[in-house]
Amino acid sequence: MTKPGFFKRLKALSLQQKKLFAVALCQRMQPNYQLFAEVCQFGNATVLETLQQLLWQSLYDNKLKLNLEAQINKLEENTPEPEDFDVYGVYPALDAVVALSSYLGALQSKIEDDITNISKLSSATVANYVEALIGDDFTNESALDDAVYAHPMMQQERELQASLLEIIEENPEPSAEFIKALRKEIVQDGVSNIGISLADNAES
């Protein structure tokens, strides 16, 4: 018997599992913002890093109460406007902020679908990056879409999300130890969804 489709399985997770899945994907997008902030001297990457740490902690520490409005405002202050920058890196950096904002907004509105949609946002970041890499080689949009889908980076994103989903499915009630171990693995890997590596920063 084959498993149901990816998104059907994702939506079947408990709220706690969905939150863990989304926080893990947000973590993988962090280096995209960090590198952009360093190169373009924009924003404060520490704001995103601190929020990310709080989100992980909130998954196993029931006493931790996030001021969602204040955190959303902090993200807005560190959100880059693409038209202000002449580098592609602004787009994946923006996506990293949008992912966190979407997560906080979902907590605020209690709309679970907004949490699972972070999966699509992460995939879209990769798809747009791949298209920027190879787009000039194609005049046919359908052929470009096929090439983006078949690109190793896109395949890697799909495989990673599938693997993450499977791990979380196997842990219906994620323990603090499980959550901390998953966070440590992603942080130490230090590679973003588009292959940006800040491993030295992550290990310090």
Side-chain angles (χ1 to χ4, degrees), residues 1-6 8-9 169:
M1 181 177 172
T2 57
K3 287 186 177 180
F6 176 85
K8 192 171 182 180
R9 290 164 56 204
E169 281 177 328

Side-chain angles (χ1 to χ4, degrees), residues 37 39 42-43 45 81 87 128 152 160 184 197:
V39 170
F42 171 87
E81 294 290 344
V87 292
N128 291 334
L160 186 134
K184 184 177 180 182
S197 176

Side-chain angles (χ1 to χ4, degrees), residues 71-104:
Q71 293 294 343
I72 288 169
N73 289 339
K74 284 182 185 178
L75 288 176
E76 285 178 0
E77 291 166 6
N78 289 278
T79 300
E81 294 290 344
E83 57 268 24
D84 293 342
F85 298 92
D86 193 24
V87 292
Y88 182 82
V90 66
Y91 296 104
L94 177 60
D95 287 349
V97 181
V98 170
L100 287 170
S101 299
S102 299
Y103 183 85
L104 294 177

Side-chain angles (χ1 to χ4, degrees), residues 5 11 15 24 103 109 129 167:
K11 289 182 177 184
L15 175 58
Y103 183 85
S109 63
Y129 179 68
I167 291 167

Side-chain angles (χ1 to χ4, degrees), residues 24 31 60 65 68 78 96 99 102 107 117 126 137 164 173 178 188:
Y60 58 82
K65 301 298 179 189
L68 298 176
N78 289 278
S102 299
L107 296 184
N117 282 340
V126 179
D137 298 335
L164 181 62
E173 296 180 8
F178 173 75
Q188 286 187 338

Side-chain angles (χ1 to χ4, degrees), residues 21-120:
F21 186 87
V23 169
L25 292 186
C26 287
Q27 181 71 61
R28 287 188 71 239
M29 299 170 82
Q30 285 289 305
N32 299 337
Y33 187 92
Q34 290 170 340
L35 182 63
F36 168 77
E38 286 174 18
V39 170
C40 293
Q41 297 186 326
F42 171 87
N44 184 355
T46 305
V47 168
L48 274 72
E49 291 169 38
T50 302
L51 172 57
Q52 185 74 51
Q53 289 168 7
L54 289 172
L55 294 182
W56 281 111
Q57 188 180 342
S58 70
L59 294 173
Y60 58 82
D61 182 357
N62 294 329
K63 294 177 184 175
L64 178 65
K65 301 298 179 189
L66 287 170
N67 183 331
L68 298 176
E69 197 65 45
Q71 293 294 343
I72 288 169
N73 289 339
K74 284 182 185 178
L75 288 176
E76 285 178 0
E77 291 166 6
N78 289 278
T79 300
E81 294 290 344
E83 57 268 24
D84 293 342
F85 298 92
D86 193 24
V87 292
Y88 182 82
V90 66
Y91 296 104
L94 177 60
D95 287 349
V97 181
V98 170
L100 287 170
S101 299
S102 299
Y103 183 85
L104 294 177
L107 296 184
Q108 219 173 24
S109 63
K110 296 182 169 60
I111 299 175
E112 291 189 24
D113 279 357
D114 288 351
I115 298 175
T116 56
N117 282 340
I118 290 171
S119 165
K120 295 177 182 177

